[in-house]
Structures are given as structure tokens and as C-alpha cells.
Amino acid sequence: MSIEATIPALAINGERLWQSLTELAAIGAYNDAATGLVGINRQSLTDEDGEGRRLVIGWMEEAGLTVTVDQMGNIFGRREGIEPEAAPVMAGSHIDTVATAGAFDGCLGVLGALEVIRSLNDAGLTTRRPIVITAWTEEEGVRFGTDMLGSAVAAGRLTLDYAYNLADEAGLRFGDELDRIGFRGDRPVLLEAPHAYVEAHIEQGPVLQQRGLAVGVVTGVQAISWQKVTLLGRAAHAGTTPTELRVDAGLAAAQIIVHARAMVNSGKYGQLRATVGHIRTAPGLPSVVPDLAEITVDLRNPDDSLMAQAEADLAEFLAELPTSQPGLRVETKRMAKTTAVPFDNNIQDTIAGVATNLGFETIRLMSGAGHDAQEMAAITPTAMIFIRGQYDGISHNPREYSTPEDCTAGITVLGNTILELAA
């Protein structure tokens, strides 16, 4: 039976949604020299994050939601249903950003879910099940080194103690910073399983734009592996130390970067992607051979077995690296690791059916980025809606942009999906 035959189609106020996105984007805004655009730096548990959280909570309360905050700082806004005891339908994302962000990554999922609630209120619609919208803590992982942190603890994959004891580059502990901004809540962090979880998010890739589609149905999230590799060599004078006597940590870092790309180019590991996004050397002087290099290695693969093979290849290369420079030491630290996560077929079908009935053509595609939805998939039926981005879907960059029309389309699909799941 079509959605039109069972419940009214929910209209979304796209102008109000866009205004909310614009207002939140002003918090943490900065002038980006590289692009000449205004970017956003609102990293998790910073003062800017605290200001953004208070703004969102104010909007939730204005929409009549009952707001609670858990021990991880995850924010929940609940709209009661006709049957309050029924398991709720959940929707949300995150408002923390990377250091060079745009206005849409994560924020569209949170403010879009809020706009669904506002539009339900405008239409005077009540659902059988309660609806809970959430803003998860530290999804990006850029400050404390573990992505999807808030949802991973809420879903039980990581412990609260593990999260509290994570520290940023300045040595500031997660738990202390949560207290400092006033967001260590008293709600128990472990979630009771909701009826379903749906997350709307910008695609962060080029597929929807290339296909000329505003909306996509996400089939799952690929496996992700993050490691920090620390290379310990020996400092020496750049002019007087013969090459054969050097233990050059910077050279070792470069060799790892080249090897990671060679793994990708070999084709042996399927659709492997490898990125070294952080590089630091010490003492960092032009006339001194570095005695320390620190890099991160990000591997992604939709196939768990091929991911395991790629990780084994990298581990073997790291183990053999000191043979090329006697005296070099290699240390590794696991930052994050998640397996490939398939999303619920029934919810995928619901999203696709809703989109079709609303007049939107869709495709199904896998996410190359990690999302809170992959953590929720461990405890409840879960799926995602992707929304087209411009400029080949660029993200984590001030050029990140989705049009008002596409944002409205994606959140209209989200709202009517929530209605069907909660009806």
C-alpha cells in the first residue's frame, strides 16, 4: 500500500530549515585562506560546540520536545506518541565538525530531524510511536581520535571509561572537557533499542550529482581502520651527517605513504582506499634530520576480508621498515576500527518507496564515510538517506554545499519515512 493511502504526506518548511542551517553555521565560522570562503571550526567539546549545543537544545524545547543529555553528552529530544510505552523511532546525526568544515555534514541530519518535528507540529499530526531526535557527541573523531564516539558508547561497542580517558593533542581529557562545557548529563548512556533509526546526511561524494539525483538510499557503510604510526629515528645535522649514517624518521614516513598508495594501485585489495591525513615531524627544523615522525593511516574497504589482507600487508611493511634504516623504531596505536555494516533491507525499501511516492528517483549506494548510523545498526534496524552535494560532493571543506532544494527534498523523504515507521 502506498504512503498516500495510509498517512498524509508531510510537507517540510525548507525556508525554515535553511535558516536553521545558516544560524548554526555562524557558530565557529572563520575566514578560510585556502578557499577564500567562510568555513566552520566547531570541534567536539570546544566552547563553540557548547554554544551550538545550547542553540539546538533551545530549538528542541521550542518545538515542544522533552530534552535529556546522557553521560556522553549525547542530546535527545523526545516527542511523545499516542502509545508512550512503544519503542520510539529515532533520527539524528551530529553537529561537531572538523577544523575546515562546511555547514551541512552532520548538521543537516540533526536540523532536518528537528524540522520534521516542527512540520509535524504545524500539520497537527500525532504518531503512534514516540519520535526521538538526537545529536551525537564527537562523531568526527578529529579531536579525541575515535570517530562515532558518542553513538559507539551508547550502542555498547565502546565503554564510558574508554571515552572519558581519551585525550586531545593538548592532553585534555574527554571527560574533563565534557564537564568544562557543562554537558556531562545524568541520563544512562546505554540505549534501550529503539524501534528503528534513520539518518539523513549529505553524500560527501560525487555519485548523486553525476546521476542527476537529489536523494539516495544507503545500503551500508564500508569497513574503516585508523592507526597512528610513530617513527623514532635520530636527529642529526642536515649538512654534515652522511646519508648512510642517518636514521631519518621523515624518510620512513614518506615510505609508508608511498606504500599505502601502492597497495591501492595494486588492485589486490578490491576497492581499498588509503589516506595519510596527518603528518608531524620533530624537531621540525629545515637543517635537522627529524628524529620523530607521526602519521595517521586511514584504510577503508567495503569487503572485510580484503580489508584484513590490506591491514596485514601494512603491518608486514611496518615490521620490515627498520631493516632499511638500522636503529629506526616503529610504534603503532589503534585509533579506530569498524567492520563493514549492512543496513536493514526493510527500512531501505521504506525510504525508497517514500521517495518514489513523493516523486524522487533514487539509487542505492554504499557510504564511503563512517556515520553514527553504523553504530545504531548493532542494536536496531537502521538505514540512511543521502542528499546530493555540489562540486562533486566535496566535504570537510568550506566548499561543501547542498542546495536548499536538495536539502528540502532529502528531509521531506526523511519526514515521511519517520511518519511511516512511527505510524
Side-chain angles (χ1 to χ4, degrees):
M1 185 178 292
S2 70
I3 189 171
E4 290 90 350
T6 56
I7 56 175
L10 180 67
I12 294 295
N13 185 329
E15 183 176 343
R16 185 171 56 194
L17 171 62
W18 192 259
Q19 179 59 40
S20 298
L21 287 164
T22 302
E23 191 169 341
L24 181 58
I27 300 174
Y30 73 98
N31 293 318
D32 186 73
T35 63
L37 301 172
V38 175
I40 302 164
N41 184 1
R42 195 173 56 244
Q43 295 181 55
S44 187
L45 308 193
T46 58
D47 291 344
E48 292 79 10
D49 183 35
E51 185 179 350
R53 287 164 169 266
R54 287 185 284 274
L55 177 64
V56 170
I57 286 175
W59 284 337
M60 287 181 174
E61 291 174 341
E62 287 173 5
L65 300 180
T66 301
V67 178
T68 54
V69 179
D70 73 12
Q71 296 162 301
M72 275 294 293
N74 297 316
I75 300 167
F76 302 91
R78 180 183 175 101
R79 185 182 196 258
E80 284 299 353
I82 295 171
E83 299 178 12
E85 72 284 358
V89 174
M90 287 186 66
S93 195
H94 62 97
I95 66 165
D96 66 294
T97 75
V98 299
T100 56
F104 302 89
D105 179 359
C107 303
L108 179 55
V110 175
L111 300 184
L114 173 64
E115 186 54 43
V116 169
I117 298 297
R118 289 166 164 170
S119 297
L120 286 169
N121 293 344
D122 291 345
L125 293 175
T126 304
T127 56
R128 183 174 71 85
R129 294 182 180 276
I131 299 170
V132 174
I133 67 175
T134 185
W136 302 106
T137 297
E138 178 63 315
E139 190 271 354
E140 294 290 3
V142 294
R143 184 174 180 198
F144 296 99
T146 300
D147 55 352
M148 285 80 72
L149 185 61
S151 54
V153 176
R157 182 172 67 83
L158 299 175
T159 67
L160 195 60
D161 285 344
Y162 170 85
Y164 280 177
N165 286 306
L166 290 171
D168 66 9
E169 291 291 334
L172 299 172
R173 289 177 65 254
F174 177 95
D176 295 336
E177 288 294 275
L178 193 61
D179 282 331
R180 186 185 66 80
I181 68 166
F183 273 91
R184 189 197 295 245
D186 54 11
R187 171 177 170 156
V189 71
L190 286 177
L191 275 178
E192 292 185 16
H195 175 67
Y197 178 83
V198 185
E199 182 169 349
H201 204 283
I202 56 171
E203 181 195 352
Q204 300 179 284
V207 176
L208 292 175
Q209 187 181 30
Q210 290 175 354
R211 298 288 188 91
L213 303 175
V215 177
V217 181
V218 186
T219 60
V221 177
Q222 64 183 340
I224 301 174
S225 166
W226 283 7
Q227 286 189 85
K228 178 187 289 185
V229 182
T230 303
L231 304 149
L232 302 167
R234 184 171 62 241
H237 193 288
T240 63
T241 309
T243 299
E244 65 272 15
L245 298 181
R246 298 183 180 198
V247 186
D248 187 340
L251 172 62
Q255 290 172 312
I256 295 169
I257 296 169
V258 171
H259 182 74
R261 175 55 66 89
M263 288 167 55
V264 173
N265 292 343
S266 72
K268 290 164 49 178
Y269 307 112
Q271 299 177 50
L272 176 70
R273 292 172 183 166
T275 304
V276 174
H278 167 80
I279 306 171
R280 181 176 71 89
T281 63
L285 300 173
S287 60
V288 180
V289 175
D291 64 352
L292 179 142
E294 179 184 272
I295 67 173
T296 56
V297 182
D298 177 321
L299 302 179
R300 306 196 184 213
N301 201 313
D303 186 304
D304 284 330
S305 63
L306 292 176
M307 172 67 102
Q309 293 175 37
E311 288 189 297
D313 181 323
L314 178 62
E316 182 179 357
F317 181 82
L318 294 176
E320 294 177 353
L321 194 56
T323 62
S324 64
Q325 291 196 78
L328 179 73
R329 287 193 293 131
V330 180
E331 299 176 353
T332 62
K333 179 183 178 182
R334 169 68 63 194
M335 297 170 64
K337 181 172 174 59
T338 56
T339 58
V341 177
F343 288 151
D344 183 83
N345 287 326
N346 290 332
I347 299 185
Q348 289 183 52
D349 290 344
T350 299
I351 294 169
V354 165
T356 298
N357 288 329
L358 291 170
F360 299 115
E361 181 184 353
T362 63
I363 56 170
R364 303 203 185 202
L365 67 169
M366 175 168 275
S367 175
H371 298 286
D372 294 305
Q374 72 194 68
E375 302 294 342
M376 291 300 293
I379 65 170
T380 191
T382 296
M384 291 184 70
I385 300 161
F386 268 171
I387 295 163
R388 174 171 53 191
Q390 301 298 306
Y391 313 117
D392 290 328
I394 190 170
S395 184
H396 289 185
N397 184 284
R399 294 179 63 232
E400 174 185 287
Y401 184 75
S402 292
T403 67
E405 295 77 14
D406 285 351
C407 291
T408 302
I411 301 308
T412 300
V413 173
L414 173 68
N416 284 280
T417 298
I418 291 172
L419 258 183
E420 184 157 325
L421 293 171

